[in-house]
Amino acid sequence: MALCCALCLLLLCCQALALGGGMLYPRESASRELKELNGIWSFRADFSPQRDKGFVQQWYQKPLRQSGPVIDMPVPASFNELTQDPNLRQYTGWVWYEKEVLLPRSWLLNALNTRVVLRVGSAHYYSIVWVNGVQVTEHEGGHLPFEADISRIVQGSPGALCRITIALNNTLTPQTLPPGSIQFMRDESNEDDYPNDCNCFKAMSDGHNLPGLVRYQVLVTGDTRYSLSLNLREKEGKVVATGAGPSGELKVVEPKLWWPYLMHENPGYLYYLEVKLSAQVGGELSEDVYTLPVGIRTVHVTSRQFLINGKPFYFHGVNKHEDADIRGKGLDWSLIVKDFNLLQWLGANSFRTSHYPYAEEIMDLCDAYGIVVIDECPGVGMKDPENFGNKSLAHHLVVMEELIRRDKNRPSVVMWSVANEPASELSPAAYYFKTVIAHTKAIDPTRPVTFVSNANYAHDHGAPYVDVICVNSYFSWYHDAGHLEVIQLQLNTQFENWYEAYQKPIIQSEYGADAIAGLHNDPPLMFSEEYQKAVLREYHSVFDKKRKEYVIGELIWNFADFMTDQATSRVLGNKKGIFTRQRQPKAAAFVLRDRYWKLANESSCLRPTLTYYNL
Ligand code: GCB
């Protein structure tokens, strides 16, 4: 069950010279300027019965305030979380955002061959974008960036004021990713029922290369008469390898490898690949510079191990959500830094981006701190046969392309997850996952691919195609509620069944129990902090046996409590966090912290670092 009806926008305006057309994260350089558009936007939800008033009246043609009342809405944030209006919290349909932006005069002079690109970091779910009343792009799918070259519009306008209007629809259908449906609560009979590119760089060193060999490919749109030069710099700026031309190999002598947190005394080592493009434009030399952080590392999967730089890696980490009080989903630097501090405190070396791609700013810190990521697309809630049809499949392939285009250069990303808990025992799932996984591997042959299953091992039609088996189970919670004594037996059987059937390494990708912070009961009863601790301990005793064989990781559900749709099993959201939604530890956090540091101690030689953090 994922958070739904959430919206988040991260907007950036990026000016670049000749190089462009791709989806590179906007970074400032000598040739690129950036204007962040975050802050207060004007907002209106279209409450008309068909949600079509905005289109009929063409709200994008003039300032939004002129077609009716507007309210202030922060970006990035989830509009559902912020007002006292219950109708807005439940709202499904088109909402309208608008911001008027003043652009610097130099951006408007097209004599300088300046490109002005409008980029949306994430907008959930379907967006149509206008600039000064002219439609510039539309995009399907949340969480992933899209952009539009708006040079001609802003450079042709008389003033420097640029009005950006975005109509956004959060409606989910059986063919969207995630899929969804709208239920109209009109049943009077049942009293128990309540409302309820320049695709740009690839710089990686895969297992078939010697570490230290960075293969790159730069795609340039526009004129073909240009020259490209590349410098690979180490942290302090010293050039360690150079290249020229749109593709090639950079050889780094004695490379400093990218290592996960707690696996090396200097985790997350990044080089900086500086790409310089020069071209003659209108008789003048034009230059564009872009610098991409890159890491050098390898990833390999065997039938029992997950190897990073040739060494066995054990995932001891968490599942997260982009969620917090007040803001809901949406980039929040204080929250991000707090979460990374908590991950480090916990001794967590990894997380899964359950159940959608996370903000690029979060991924940047994973690269820099050495936090290993299983990068998941929004394939969550695929429970009905109609979620496996051709339309869904075609869209799923596009989403994987967009995700890989965005995150392919990140050393922290070691595996793609194409879905969470789909109904993979349905027969159409076989062709569906075979196709999605083959497509993912064709675009990125350097990383393993998985999806997260809670299906019966014997009937899982997707499992034959994955590299690593990821299994979720909630013994003594959703099954045999309250019976802690079943956990060891059932978990042991779970692992043995899956391994025997597929001979692939296994990650326990979710396990856990809800606990209301401050609720105590001994002996442990469900929803108490003691029960959550007890569930964890029972699971851990089986992990400890099986990690000597083929279990390669354990990811707790969940890092922190998070908001959900209303349901009888939810108490103001999901309470399986080991931290509260306000990021305070429950008793289980200390159990996990003890364990993760012990695991890190066992597998590394990093005693000095560990002493600092030890309990
Ligand atoms: C699951 C889902 C996750 C839910 C969790 C729960 O299996 O993958 O999205 O939040 O269970 O707590 O119900």
Side-chain angles (χ1 to χ4, degrees):
M1 289 144 260
L3 283 171
C4 61
C5 301
L7 169 124
C8 108
L9 288 172
L10 166 68
L11 291 156
L12 296 150
C13 231
C14 163
Q15 182 207 35
L17 293 176
L19 180 72
M23 292 296 292
L24 288 173
Y25 184 76
R27 296 180 202 277
E28 286 180 314
S29 76
S31 59
R32 291 173 176 236
E33 292 168 22
L34 203 62
K35 192 172 176 68
E36 292 235 4
L37 304 179
N38 296 337
I40 296 288
W41 284 55
S42 298
F43 175 92
R44 184 186 307 138
D46 183 346
F47 280 103
S48 63
Q50 302 304 321
R51 308 292 200 236
D52 60 350
K53 196 170 168 187
F55 293 98
V56 172
Q57 297 186 347
Q58 303 190 336
W59 288 351
Y60 48 87
Q61 287 293 10
K62 45 187 186 184
L64 202 53
R65 60 183 177 277
Q66 291 179 12
S67 52
V70 291
I71 58 171
D72 285 347
M73 191 56 73
V75 170
S78 305
F79 69 78
N80 319 74
E81 290 274 321
L82 287 163
T83 73
Q84 300 310 104
D85 180 355
N87 296 321
L88 195 55
R89 190 180 190 284
Q90 312 265 63
Y91 182 87
T92 312
W94 289 100
V95 298
W96 293 72
Y97 280 79
E98 182 201 76
K99 193 170 180 81
E100 291 178 319
V101 189
L102 268 176
L103 299 182
R105 194 177 304 139
S106 61
W107 291 27
L108 306 178
L109 302 175
N110 65 358
L112 296 178
N113 288 300
T114 303
R115 287 180 69 233
V116 182
V117 177
L118 174 66
R119 186 187 211 256
V120 179
S122 163
H124 204 280
Y125 178 81
Y126 197 96
S127 322
I128 305 178
V129 185
W130 294 263
V131 172
N132 295 345
V134 179
Q135 186 179 328
V136 293
T137 192
E138 49 190 299
H139 182 258
E140 180 181 355
H143 313 290
L144 290 165
F146 56 94
E147 62 183 26
D149 187 330
I150 60 168
S151 318
R152 275 200 297 155
I153 295 168
V154 295
Q155 289 165 356
S157 302
L161 199 64
C162 157
R163 182 166 41 82
I164 301 168
T165 315
I166 304 185
L168 193 66
N169 196 327
N170 62 356
T171 309
L172 299 177
T173 72
Q175 284 81 35
T176 57
L177 208 66
S181 57
I182 300 179
Q183 262 179 294
F184 293 96
M185 311 310 287
R186 292 185 186 132
D187 185 352
E188 289 162 19
S189 62
N190 188 346
E191 292 178 4
D192 287 329
D193 223 350
Y194 285 83
N196 73 62
D197 337 49
C198 155
N199 172 26
C200 282
F201 305 127
K202 276 191 184 170
M204 51 187 63
S205 163
D206 68 24
H208 305 295
N209 288 329
L210 291 172
L213 209 52
V214 178
R215 266 194 272 134
Y216 72 87
Q217 192 189 353
V218 184
L219 303 182
V220 179
T221 51
D223 207 323
T224 49
R225 287 160 300 166
Y226 60 83
S227 68
L228 268 176
S229 64
L230 295 94
N231 284 325
L232 188 68
R233 294 179 188 274
E234 57 169 36
K235 228 175 213 150
E236 303 312 326
K238 194 177 135 207
V239 175
V240 293
T242 57
S247 64
E249 281 178 356
L250 304 174
K251 260 186 215 126
V252 185
V253 182
E254 292 181 21
K256 295 192 179 93
L257 298 184
W258 186 95
W259 286 100
Y261 175 54
L262 297 177
M263 215 173 161
H264 192 266
E265 64 217 347
N266 191 8
Y269 189 87
L270 294 175
Y271 290 90
Y272 294 88
L273 183 63
E274 182 189 81
V275 181
K276 195 184 278 182
L277 178 145
S278 314
Q280 288 289 333
V281 185
E284 276 182 48
L285 181 70
S286 235
E287 269 190 356
D288 187 23
V289 183
Y290 188 88
T291 302
L292 178 80
V294 294
I296 301 178
R297 59 116 185 85
T298 63
V299 170
H300 265 120
V301 177
T302 72
S303 64
R304 287 169 168 252
Q305 286 183 317
F306 196 97
L307 303 169
I308 296 184
N309 299 329
K311 295 215 169 129
F313 177 74
Y314 186 77
F315 295 78
H316 44 90
V318 304
N319 292 275
K320 289 186 95 263
H321 261 303
E322 285 183 320
D323 171 80
D325 273 352
I326 313 234
R327 186 184 295 265
K329 266 190 177 52
L331 186 85
D332 179 335
W333 278 114
S334 311
L335 180 77
I336 290 172
V337 170
K338 179 74 181 169
D339 280 5
F340 276 95
N341 276 311
L342 290 177
L343 287 170
Q344 289 176 327
W345 175 89
L346 200 61
N349 62 4
S350 50
F351 66 73
R352 171 168 68 121
T353 67
S354 45
H355 299 307
Y356 40 79
Y358 290 178
E360 286 161 276
E361 292 77 1
I362 297 177
M363 304 298 282
D364 277 348
L365 293 188
C366 291
D367 286 340
Y369 298 163
I371 300 293
V372 167
V373 177
I374 300 173
D375 206 351
E376 189 158 276
C377 85
V380 59
M382 303 172 64
K383 297 293 186 195
D384 298 323
E386 53 180 336
N387 306 147
F388 295 91
N390 285 343
K391 195 169 173 204
S392 301
L393 178 58
H395 179 55
H396 206 140
L397 301 185
V398 172
V399 171
M400 289 315 298
E401 286 164 19
E402 288 187 3
L403 175 60
I404 295 169
R405 175 173 64 185
R406 195 193 77 163
D407 286 349
K408 64 182 178 293
N409 292 315
R410 299 189 173 282
S412 58
V413 174
V414 299
M415 182 154 64
W416 306 111
S417 164
V418 301
N420 177 69
E421 297 188 352
S424 45
E425 65 283 352
L426 297 174
S427 45
Y431 175 73
Y432 192 96
F433 283 109
K434 185 179 176 192
T435 310
V436 173
I437 292 171
H439 189 68
T440 305
K441 282 173 173 284
I443 312 169
D444 178 10
T446 71
R447 289 180 177 87
V449 183
T450 190
F451 74 88
V452 170
S453 179
N454 67 343
N456 179 298
Y457 74 97
H459 305 117
D460 192 315
H461 294 302
Y465 307 107
V466 300
D467 297 300
V468 171
I469 301 281
C470 286
V471 204
N472 295 349
S473 57
Y474 287 92
F475 303 129
S476 89
W477 193 263
Y478 292 125
H479 317 276
D480 306 299
H483 289 278
L484 291 163
E485 70 278 11
V486 303
I487 294 177
Q488 293 200 23
L489 190 68
Q490 295 183 350
L491 187 58
N492 205 58
T493 312
Q494 168 200 288
F495 285 139
E496 288 183 356
N497 285 341
W498 280 96
Y499 194 73
E500 201 178 315
Y502 300 102
Q503 309 280 307
K504 293 175 186 177
I506 305 176
I507 296 177
Q508 181 74 37
S509 38
E510 283 182 29
Y511 72 104
D514 288 74
I516 314 287
L519 199 63
H520 292 287
N521 213 85
D522 187 58
L525 295 185
M526 290 176 79
F527 292 99
S528 68
E529 293 200 35
E530 287 73 17
Y531 194 87
Q532 189 183 35
K533 273 203 302 190
V535 168
L536 266 54
R537 288 200 167 116
E538 294 296 312
Y539 267 81
H540 295 166
S541 70
V542 181
F543 296 159
D544 280 339
K545 283 188 208 114
K546 295 297 179 191
R547 71 190 166 88
K548 298 191 182 100
E549 301 176 36
Y550 45 74
V551 169
I552 56 161
E554 51 188 88
L555 304 175
I556 186 78
W557 190 265
N558 190 286
F559 173 74
D561 293 345
F562 59 92
M563 190 44 78
T564 65
D565 231 352
Q566 298 184 73
T568 44
S569 59
R570 304 297 185 221
V571 191
L572 284 185
N574 188 311
K575 292 286 188 275
K576 292 197 186 68
I578 55 160
F579 297 103
T580 62
R581 204 179 183 211
Q582 298 73 34
R583 278 30 184 195
Q584 295 308 319
K586 302 180 194 170
F590 295 93
V591 171
L592 217 57
R593 183 186 189 217
D594 251 350
R595 174 172 178 79
Y596 283 1
W597 281 105
K598 265 187 213 127
L599 288 170
N601 252 319
E602 264 179 36
S603 64
S604 81
C605 47
L606 297 180
R607 311 238 174 246
T609 327
L610 297 184
T611 323
Y612 172 73
Y613 283 105
N614 262 348
L615 284 168

